[in-house]
Amino acid sequence: MTIERFETKQRMSRAVVHNNTVYLCGQVAADASADITGQTETTLAKIDELLASVGTDKTRLLSVTIYVSSMDHFQGMNAVWDAWVPEGLAPARACVEAKMARPELLVEMSVIAAV
């Protein structure tokens, strides 16, 4: 059994690959001052980059958990999400309202994908 950890620090690894499955740590916006649209766009861009770094992409998503600071952001986040997810390849998904680690963060996403 092989477990590969990527960008490991004291508290977490940015990605862990096991049995041809990658688990990404929660991804947040590169610019927390942006609105929900901007934060969602940069969060998804970071997910694209991280998936590519371990040899996979968004066409192989299995499950995504989305955390929004308020359900008031649900529609704006979904508009960006819907444009990003390839048609017919939507993963299993959950979206919940959650208190974020920093108050300026509006969205965080945790991803599981096949490699």
Side-chain angles (χ1 to χ4, degrees):
M1 169 178 54
T2 302
I3 299 173
E4 294 180 88
R5 300 174 197 283
F6 298 85
E7 299 183 45
T8 300
K9 296 187 178 164
Q10 181 180 359
R11 290 192 183 116
M12 66 182 177
S13 297
R14 287 197 66 214
V16 176
V17 176
H18 175 256
N19 286 341
N20 297 317
T21 304
V22 63
Y23 304 83
L24 304 186
C25 69
Q27 297 298 303
V28 297
D31 178 5
S33 67
D35 64 6
I36 189 62
T37 299
Q39 286 197 28
T40 303
E41 288 170 347
T42 61
T43 298
L44 294 172
K46 286 172 66 178
I47 290 168
D48 280 331
E49 290 173 14
L50 197 49
L51 290 172
S53 77
V54 298
T56 193
D57 61 45
K58 65 185 174 185
T59 66
R60 299 180 55 89
L61 294 173
L62 300 172
S63 176
V64 178
T65 302
I66 301 170
Y67 306 92
V68 289
S69 62
S70 168
M71 279 298 171
D72 293 340
H73 300 305
F74 188 72
Q75 184 175 0
M77 178 277 299
N78 270 332
V80 177
W81 170 268
D82 290 345
W84 180 78
V85 173
E87 187 172 338
L89 299 177
R93 187 186 107 162
C95 184
V96 297
E97 182 176 288
K99 186 172 182 178
M100 299 295 176
R102 298 189 330 256
E104 63 272 16
L105 292 172
L106 305 177
V107 63
E108 180 171 349
M109 298 184 190
S110 182
V111 173
I112 301 171
V115 177

